[in-house]
Amino acid sequence: MSRPGPPMAAEPGPSPAPVERTLDRLVSAASWIWLLLVGVIVAGVGLRTFFAISRIELEELQWHLYAVGFLVGILGCVLHDRHVRVDVFREGMSQRRRDWVDLYGLLLLQLPFIALVLWSGIPLVAESFASGERSGSAGGLSHRWLLKSALPIVFALLLLASLARTRAIARRLFAPPVADAAAASDADEASATPTADPAPGEPPDAAG
Amino acid sequence: MSPREWLAVLMFGAFILGILTGFPVAWVLGGSALVFTAIALLLERDFGVETGIDWAYTSLVGDRIFDLMDNWVLVALPMFVLMGLLLDRSGIAAELLREVSRLFGRVRGGLAVSIALIGVLLAASTGIIGASVVMLALLGLPPMKRAGYAATYATGTVCAIGTLGILIPPSIMLVLMADRLAISVGDLYLGAILPGLLLAALYIAYLLALPALRPTIAPASSRPEIVDLELILAVFRKVVPTALLIFAVLGSSFFGIATPTEASGVGAAGALLLAASRRRLTVPILREVLRETTLTTGYLFGIFVGATAFALVLRGLGGDELIARGLSGLPFGPNGVVLSILFATFLLGFVLDWIEITFIVLPLVAPVVVSLGFDLVWFTVLFAVCLQTSFLTPPVGFALFYAKGVAPDVDVRTLYVGILPFVALQLVALTLIFLWPELATELPARAYGR
């Protein structure tokens, strides 16, 4: 019942904020990391098979690249609403109700969790930097703090993306239907399932 | 039960309710870790309840995510995804399906068998049941419909194969399970081969037997090509490079020549070469495939990160002791305990995908099973097949839900009728693996001369 969204990339909301567009370009650019990773793995296998050379650096470089890749992926899924949802009940909900679920989820679960990861991650990076932490294996990579800093950096961007999303949803829920916004939402509703027309100043709990 | 254990049970219940709202699973997991830490702290401060966790404990989340980041085994996951996506988006998969089904022109149900053979390979590109069923439905339903196959038969095939693909190597699920249980991926792959082949054989036998008994279900091609040496050679020329790639990737990790990580990287490189050699590797396709790899990896790892936090807090509240005590208190023998775990897993599979179950439930029950003297590879394979059955079982199996999503013209009854025989086959396989553990333990034992 959980689903990763449509198989092809769904575009972020009707009008992504500039910050979302910038972050999305970052996600696209970072995706080339997988090609690099393929190269590093093949190089490692080649050296080992044909020259009997085992380079621990190459092996460690692999998970350095992979770690950055999956963190950026988590960011991309927030931008494109691709995180897995269980949508048995969501399917039958009006757009407005879905927005309420997302608003509460963002405020009570998603944003606090991202904050927790930042709060617990930043001191670890600082500690790693201060102690000059390096790989435990001989010949491994130094500057471990560089890898570790990817976590707070990407999660800070994740915070930004989640805030942008919260703002967009709150706007949809609370915006007074001014002339052109109302026209746009009318057009939306003509094609989608009919939802209760948000009256101006409607109390927030009416739909939630 | 102590108050903190009640809190653990409540946390699990809250999580299930949370994901049913439709909010992303990853954040429900991570968020409930946080919320329940806060509740535990309040109970401890204001009511003097001993809960055993505090912020310092929950902030171990940072360390746990670093553990995911320097995990060399899991590097294989995005590489398998990349390989599968390359085969899919470059059109190689569809071409394979076309070519293989030419060989089966005269055979009733031949197209379904072709889909079974190819679908199992492609499932690696998605990692979760929902997505692999969707992909197979998009790839396989239209040609089966054109060929005049009955809707029950066609949808049943797509659901069952999409689910089987998650189990059969290159399996993202097995890599993650091995990683979480600290057993070798090679061992688990080897352990899953015979059960996987057994299931595949049962499926294919059914796919061929049913149309033989009731020809209208899956008519043979109206204009079958004559299967002579020339056709076979023509098909082989097209199929062999891809087949070689797959076997090289799987073979090398089965037999310990390469680690799964190396095998996955080489497999991705091979898929790149294949696509390039057919002039399908244009820059726009490559860009899209890489981006899609990032996003697919993103939703998988989003759940990993959330589930890590969730499992941490659940353990802190004594969830593991609770499970261990509960299981050892069951009034059955060791076999009864395993069966109870499997039944509970079956029920959990109705609401949770395999990732959450692997992160949260598997590490809780595995030590109990080991302490009862069972083989962990055997149990994990059994566990995986049981989950698979759960995903197929009406009325709530994941696979059905997704098939319905992409084939809205198929009514629910048709789906159920189509899938029930596969559920029966799953139960047969499950019983066989349970009764003959050698199915799962023999190959790993032989490979390592134990």
Side-chain angles (χ1 to χ4, degrees):
Chain A
M1 282 168 288
S2 50
R3 111 180 229 115
M8 301 290 286
E11 288 316 303
S15 53
V19 55
E20 287 177 306
R21 275 198 298 269
T22 310
L23 289 175
D24 191 45
R25 271 200 289 276
L26 182 80
V27 172
S28 289
S31 296
W32 292 94
I33 230 171
W34 304 120
L35 210 56
L36 199 58
L37 177 54
V38 173
V40 174
I41 296 180
V42 170
V45 174
L47 280 179
R48 209 197 55 183
T49 317
F50 300 113
F51 304 100
I53 303 173
S54 261
R55 299 307 294 250
I56 193 83
E57 299 96 311
L58 281 183
E59 197 173 290
E60 294 198 343
L61 187 55
Q62 288 166 24
W63 47 257
H64 280 64
L65 293 172
Y66 131 98
V68 175
F70 86 69
L71 287 172
V72 171
I74 296 177
L75 173 65
C77 286
V78 167
L79 294 172
H80 292 270
D81 198 6
R82 285 284 296 272
H83 274 295
V84 177
R85 296 174 183 270
V86 173
D87 49 10
V88 232
F89 296 115
R90 191 178 173 84
E91 276 199 326
M93 292 182 193
S94 64
Q95 184 57 48
R96 204 172 156 74
R97 188 166 287 250
R98 289 181 190 182
D99 281 346
W100 274 112
V101 167
D102 282 357
L103 186 66
Y104 274 112
L106 277 159
L107 293 177
L108 296 176
L109 302 168
Q110 185 168 337
L111 289 167
F113 178 66
I114 292 171
L116 169 75
V117 173
L118 282 172
W119 177 72
S120 80
I122 291 173
L124 294 173
V125 176
E127 194 185 298
S128 172
F129 178 71
S131 69
E133 187 188 1
R134 55 181 300 131
S135 162
S137 27
L141 299 176
S142 55
H143 299 86
R144 179 58 60 85
W145 66 273
L146 268 177
L147 169 69
K148 288 196 166 178
S149 63
L151 177 65
I153 290 173
V154 177
F155 266 68
L157 299 177
L158 204 54
L159 190 63
L160 216 58
S162 307
L163 286 172
R165 191 156 198 95
T166 312
R167 180 162 157 269
I169 289 173
R171 230 183 221 181
R172 270 211 298 272
L173 283 171
F174 302 121
V178 283
D180 52 352
S185 84
D186 279 347
D188 275 352
E189 280 172 14
S191 57
T193 46
T195 50
D197 210 353
E202 187 187 9
D205 55 349
Chain B
M1 271 192 341
S2 63
R4 60 193 279 256
E5 287 173 344
W6 275 111
L7 207 54
V9 173
L10 208 64
M11 181 177 173
F12 198 80
F15 157 61
I16 303 256
L17 287 180
I19 58 173
L20 290 179
T21 63
F23 196 67
V25 178
W27 308 119
V28 174
L29 282 165
S32 37
L34 192 75
V35 168
F36 275 79
T37 306
I39 295 178
L41 284 173
L42 275 179
L43 285 177
E44 186 145 328
R45 200 191 63 190
D46 294 346
F47 299 91
V49 177
E50 186 73 42
T51 56
I53 57 174
D54 52 24
W55 287 120
Y57 178 79
T58 303
S59 72
L60 287 175
V61 161
D63 278 309
R64 295 299 161 92
I65 300 178
F66 287 138
D67 288 344
L68 279 176
M69 288 167 68
D70 61 20
N71 186 319
W72 192 50
V73 175
L74 297 184
V75 176
L77 269 48
M79 292 292 96
F80 282 146
V81 170
L82 175 58
M83 183 176 101
L85 279 169
L86 276 168
L87 293 179
D88 185 33
R89 299 286 156 89
S90 65
I92 293 178
E95 185 190 82
L96 269 181
L97 180 61
R98 233 177 9 252
E99 293 299 323
V100 173
S101 61
R102 280 169 72 188
L103 291 181
F104 290 103
R106 285 168 176 280
V107 184
R108 293 199 178 91
L111 190 53
V113 175
S114 317
I115 288 169
L117 295 176
I118 287 146
V120 159
L121 298 175
L122 275 184
S125 66
T126 59
I128 63 172
I129 306 289
S132 79
V133 168
V134 167
M135 186 195 61
L136 268 189
L138 293 175
L139 184 76
L141 283 184
M144 284 197 279
K145 197 171 179 183
R146 274 198 302 276
Y149 282 26
T152 49
Y153 179 83
T155 51
T157 306
V158 166
C159 292
I161 298 299
T163 313
L164 179 65
I166 295 292
L167 173 73
I168 287 195
S171 164
I172 289 179
M173 176 165 85
L174 293 183
V175 173
L176 189 73
M177 285 182 166
D179 180 67
R180 291 291 106 179
L181 296 175
I183 53 182
S184 125
V185 180
D187 274 9
L188 195 54
Y189 268 17
L190 280 171
I193 290 187
L194 287 183
L197 287 179
L198 171 73
L199 272 169
L202 285 171
Y203 279 14
I204 290 177
Y206 166 76
L207 289 176
L208 291 174
L210 189 69
L213 295 173
R214 291 166 57 193
T216 49
I217 287 225
S221 165
S222 51
R223 284 182 294 125
E225 291 178 77
I226 298 157
V227 181
D228 53 11
L229 198 62
E230 200 180 333
L231 176 67
I232 294 179
L233 282 179
V235 170
F236 265 66
R237 262 200 302 279
K238 296 224 164 155
V239 172
V240 159
T242 317
L244 270 183
L245 166 75
I246 308 285
F247 285 117
V249 169
L250 295 185
S252 57
S253 51
F254 281 148
F255 300 111
I257 301 168
T259 64
T261 307
E262 292 172 339
S264 66
V266 173
L272 278 167
L273 287 180
L274 265 179
S277 71
R278 290 171 194 215
R279 303 188 185 285
R280 301 255 176 74
L281 196 67
T282 60
V283 173
I285 288 187
L286 184 61
R287 195 178 286 145
E288 193 210 305
V289 164
L290 290 173
R291 218 180 120 76
E292 207 45 39
T293 306
T294 305
L295 294 179
T296 303
T297 308
Y299 70 65
L300 293 172
F301 278 79
I303 306 180
F304 294 2
V305 167
T308 307
F310 186 89
L312 177 75
V313 174
L314 192 69
R315 229 165 239 271
L317 290 171
D320 44 354
E321 298 132 57
L322 180 67
I323 298 274
R325 203 149 32 80
L327 287 176
S328 54
L330 288 175
F332 321 118
N335 278 332
V337 172
V338 171
L339 286 176
S340 313
I341 294 175
L342 291 179
F343 185 67
T345 307
F346 180 76
L347 295 182
L348 280 177
F350 289 162
V351 276
L352 304 182
D353 209 328
W354 63 268
I355 303 178
E356 299 92 288
I357 295 181
T358 301
F359 264 94
I360 300 166
V361 181
L362 195 53
L364 292 182
V365 297
V368 180
V369 173
V370 172
S371 73
L372 290 173
F374 291 106
D375 183 280
L376 195 50
V377 168
W378 167 76
F379 173 73
T380 310
V381 171
L382 205 58
F383 191 88
V385 176
C386 174
L387 266 183
Q388 219 198 319
T389 315
S390 168
F391 296 148
L392 288 176
T393 302
V396 276
F398 274 65
L400 305 167
F401 185 76
Y402 283 104
K404 177 82 186 134
V406 280
D409 50 324
V410 177
D411 70 294
V412 176
R413 204 183 146 272
T414 309
L415 266 178
Y416 290 0
V417 170
I419 203 67
L420 279 176
F422 289 100
V423 175
L425 294 178
Q426 286 286 135
L427 291 176
V428 169
L430 204 55
T431 313
L432 289 177
I433 302 166
F434 186 79
L435 294 179
W436 284 286
E438 293 80 9
L439 275 172
T441 56
E442 184 65 21
L443 281 183
R446 271 176 192 241
Y448 301 96
R450 277 187 239 122

